Amino acid sequence: MIKQHILVTVDNVIFTISENQVQVLLIKRNADPFKWTRAIPGWFVLESEDCEQAAYRELQEETNVKNVYLEQLYTFSDVKRDPRGRVISIAYMALVARENMTIKAGSDAAEANFFPIENLPKLAFDHKKILGYALQRLRRKIEYTNVAQYILPKKFTLSELQKVYEIVLGQDIDVRNFRKKVDKIWLVKATWEKEIGVKYRPAKLYKFVESKLKIVEVL
Amino acid sequence: MIKQHILVTVDNVIFTISENQVQVLLIKRNADPFKWTRAIPGWFVLESEDCEQAAYRELQEETNVKNVYLEQLYTFSDVKRDPRGRVISIAYMALVARENMTIKAGSDAAEANFFPIENLPKLAFDHKKILGYALQRLRRKIEYTNVAQYILPKKFTLSELQKVYEIVLGQDIDVRNFRKKVDKIWLVKATWEKEIGVKYRPAKLYKFVESKLKIVEVL
DNA sequence: CTAATAGTGTCTCTGAGACACTATCTA
DNA sequence: TAGATAGTGTCTCAGAGACACTATTAG
């Protein structure tokens, strides 16, 4: 065998939508390097777990989350990406409904908060690059799959579904064309319930019929 | 810092087309584990290089190749994927024109050969899984980008271009529809040359105008 | 002139996108 | 009844796919 000293981490780009914006979870680091700087949550992979397990474990450390979508993004391995030495990072992207999640600060963090992607603080390491990559993946993926369901609550209105697309893609979509597509392609079903507590005409609530990730032409 | 003993390798799935088949380069391992078993070429990442550099270096070790397309595929990290211990592998996919390449056996290999993907030998480690993943990526990518150019010689006939699609996708394509698409979307230009040495009507030779990878609707 | 591949145009159907009004609820 | 959002149908245009014959070359 060979002598090699490379450390392996995972980093989780955790997206959600709230306040009509795509938001990403960032921690404030409580240790050097980049002490007090914001960063994507991540940690070293244990020898007894694969990277995906590590990503889930890390996810549980920062959030209390159920029903999350997790996907491996890319492996970042620039020689100088970490001042402590040679560290590569396998980046994951997670999508969660805001309501399915509470935040706590993990062991490496002074605090953890969501930030709208339009207004990000300075980030540690190469995390800006990782985040850019994740956002690009999210935008592509939402166009040809039904991942959007992971960002929505179990029951949702079609307006909410549409809003997710408009927010992620950053452009308005015609209501009628959108609904035509949803009718044809998505596995959604109207429930008999309606929105409550709104001060206008309440919308029908829908639910997803299948929760599997499907490759579909959405827009 | 943390104590962690994980080794990091890169593995290259090198595709080409010859004899009307998609072929992949496999080595015969000359050392344990899996001695004499076929495997995707790969090696440990050096501490002084990032993974992409490692993949290129490895590529040069097995082949003499110019003008290759290389793309990171996925990182495989099953705890038990390597009997020697904890080893993760960042897999890359390479596409090369057969004419741009000669094969040599690298230091870890008794021999190196191309195998048609329809007829593969038993593979070491989790390389079957990696190969399956690569093939899937190739099929998707060829549909919405112009990567096909990397598999073709500098000058090629439209029939050859079409053949690449038919072989990779495993289905026939209508000649006229294919050419309409190529006209509209691709950056190809007819040269004034024609095929020589064929015993039938020689086809015009075309070349790619731009060599950048573009996202295009191809089929 | 035969064998073999190159090369070309039209029609149909489906899906994407533009577009505006009525319905229903709350307060 | 005013304010606010939900919800619905049609037309046009572009692109996808089905389809068959003529052109050119070597031998």
Side-chain angles (χ1 to χ4, degrees):
Chain A
M1 287 291 271
I2 199 174
K3 287 245 176 187
Q4 189 197 48
H5 299 285
I6 300 180
L7 292 169
V8 181
T9 60
V10 293
D11 286 311
N12 283 333
V13 179
I14 305 168
F15 286 123
T16 196
I17 289 185
S18 77
E19 296 162 26
N20 284 348
Q21 290 186 292
V22 181
Q23 310 232 6
V24 62
L25 186 68
L26 299 176
I27 59 151
K28 182 183 264 182
R29 291 178 56 81
N30 66 5
D32 276 323
F34 296 102
K35 197 170 185 178
W36 311 133
T37 305
R38 301 286 176 173
I40 297 164
W43 198 247
F44 294 95
V45 175
L46 302 182
E47 288 175 33
S48 57
E49 67 186 357
D50 65 31
C51 293
E52 191 171 315
Q53 287 165 346
Y56 269 113
R57 182 174 49 75
E58 176 62 25
L59 201 56
Q60 296 302 331
E61 183 154 334
E62 308 290 343
T63 66
N64 248 318
V65 70
K66 29 174 192 169
N67 196 29
V68 62
Y69 173 78
L70 188 70
E71 157 181 330
Q72 192 188 106
L73 252 193
Y74 197 79
T75 295
F76 295 85
S77 63
D78 279 6
V79 175
K80 295 183 183 303
R81 61 178 294 284
D82 190 319
R84 290 169 293 188
R86 190 65 203 285
V87 181
I88 70 168
S89 172
I90 295 99
Y92 282 77
M93 175 177 79
L95 303 181
V96 204
R98 190 65 186 83
E99 58 150 28
N100 284 341
M101 175 179 36
T102 56
I103 306 173
K104 47 185 176 176
S107 58
D108 59 333
E111 45 176 301
N113 294 103
F114 276 101
F115 288 77
I117 56 162
E118 304 293 352
N119 189 17
L120 292 170
K122 190 163 164 36
L123 295 177
F125 305 107
D126 55 356
H127 287 186
K128 187 177 172 187
K129 186 174 163 190
I130 295 178
L131 192 49
Y133 202 97
L135 197 54
Q136 191 186 333
R137 174 80 65 97
L138 172 62
R139 293 209 167 107
R140 298 219 87 205
K141 198 110 194 179
I142 207 175
E143 280 194 302
Y144 73 91
T145 71
N146 58 356
V147 274
Q149 65 184 280
Y150 294 97
I151 291 186
L152 286 169
K154 265 216 187 67
K155 290 174 184 170
F156 54 88
T157 68
L158 293 182
S159 300
E160 287 171 330
L161 179 58
Q162 180 172 345
K163 201 84 194 176
V164 170
Y165 278 87
E166 291 179 333
I167 292 167
V168 172
L169 299 176
Q171 60 184 255
D172 289 352
I173 300 167
D174 179 87
V175 196
R176 284 163 292 186
N177 293 339
F178 184 77
R179 287 177 184 232
K180 260 188 300 181
K181 262 295 167 70
V182 169
D183 272 355
K184 230 173 288 179
I185 290 167
W186 277 60
L187 300 164
V188 298
K189 216 172 104 177
T191 67
W192 292 110
E193 297 169 71
K194 297 192 168 188
E195 269 182 311
I196 49 172
V198 292
K199 54 176 186 292
Y200 46 78
R201 174 178 176 180
K204 267 190 246 174
L205 291 174
Y206 286 73
K207 61 181 179 183
F208 292 103
V209 174
E210 263 195 64
S211 63
K212 278 193 309 188
L213 186 67
K214 285 195 66 152
I215 307 298
V216 289
E217 280 306 317
V218 176
L219 288 183
Chain B
M1 288 291 271
I2 199 174
K3 286 246 176 187
Q4 189 197 49
H5 299 285
I6 301 181
L7 293 168
V8 180
T9 61
V10 293
D11 285 311
N12 284 332
V13 179
I14 305 168
F15 286 124
T16 195
I17 288 185
S18 76
E19 295 162 27
N20 285 347
Q21 288 186 293
V22 181
Q23 311 233 3
V24 62
L25 186 67
L26 299 176
I27 60 153
K28 182 183 264 183
R29 290 179 56 82
N30 66 6
D32 275 323
F34 297 103
K35 196 170 182 177
W36 310 133
T37 305
R38 301 286 175 172
I40 297 163
W43 200 246
F44 293 94
V45 175
L46 303 181
E47 289 176 33
S48 58
E49 67 187 356
D50 64 31
C51 293
E52 190 170 317
Q53 287 164 345
Y56 268 114
R57 182 173 51 74
E58 176 62 25
L59 201 56
Q60 296 302 330
E61 184 155 334
E62 307 291 342
T63 66
N64 247 319
V65 68
K66 31 175 192 169
N67 196 31
V68 62
Y69 173 78
L70 188 70
E71 159 180 329
Q72 193 188 106
L73 251 193
Y74 197 79
T75 296
F76 295 85
S77 63
D78 278 7
V79 174
K80 296 185 182 303
R81 59 179 296 282
D82 190 321
R84 290 169 294 188
R86 189 68 204 282
V87 181
I88 70 168
S89 171
I90 294 100
Y92 281 78
M93 174 177 78
L95 303 181
V96 204
R98 190 64 186 82
E99 58 150 27
N100 284 340
M101 175 179 36
T102 57
I103 307 173
K104 45 184 177 176
S107 59
D108 57 334
E111 46 177 300
N113 295 103
F114 276 101
F115 287 77
I117 56 161
E118 304 294 350
N119 188 17
L120 291 171
K122 190 164 164 37
L123 295 177
F125 304 107
D126 55 355
H127 287 187
K128 188 177 173 186
K129 185 174 164 191
I130 295 178
L131 193 49
Y133 201 97
L135 198 54
Q136 190 185 335
R137 175 80 65 96
L138 172 62
R139 293 209 167 108
R140 299 218 86 203
K141 198 111 194 180
I142 207 175
E143 279 194 302
Y144 72 93
T145 71
N146 58 357
V147 275
Q149 66 184 280
Y150 293 97
I151 291 186
L152 287 168
K154 266 216 187 66
K155 289 173 185 168
F156 53 90
T157 68
L158 293 183
S159 299
E160 286 171 329
L161 179 57
Q162 180 172 344
K163 201 86 195 172
V164 170
Y165 277 86
E166 291 179 334
I167 292 166
V168 172
L169 299 176
Q171 60 184 256
D172 289 352
I173 301 167
D174 180 86
V175 197
R176 286 161 294 185
N177 294 339
F178 184 77
R179 287 176 185 232
K180 261 189 297 182
K181 262 295 169 66
V182 169
D183 273 355
K184 232 175 286 181
I185 290 167
W186 277 60
L187 300 164
V188 299
K189 218 172 103 176
T191 65
W192 292 110
E193 297 169 74
K194 296 191 168 186
E195 269 183 309
I196 50 173
V198 292
K199 55 177 184 292
Y200 45 80
R201 175 177 175 180
K204 269 192 242 176
L205 291 174
Y206 285 73
K207 61 180 179 183
F208 292 104
V209 174
E210 264 196 64
S211 62
K212 279 192 309 189
L213 185 68
K214 285 195 67 152
I215 308 298
V216 289
E217 278 308 315
V218 175
L219 285 183

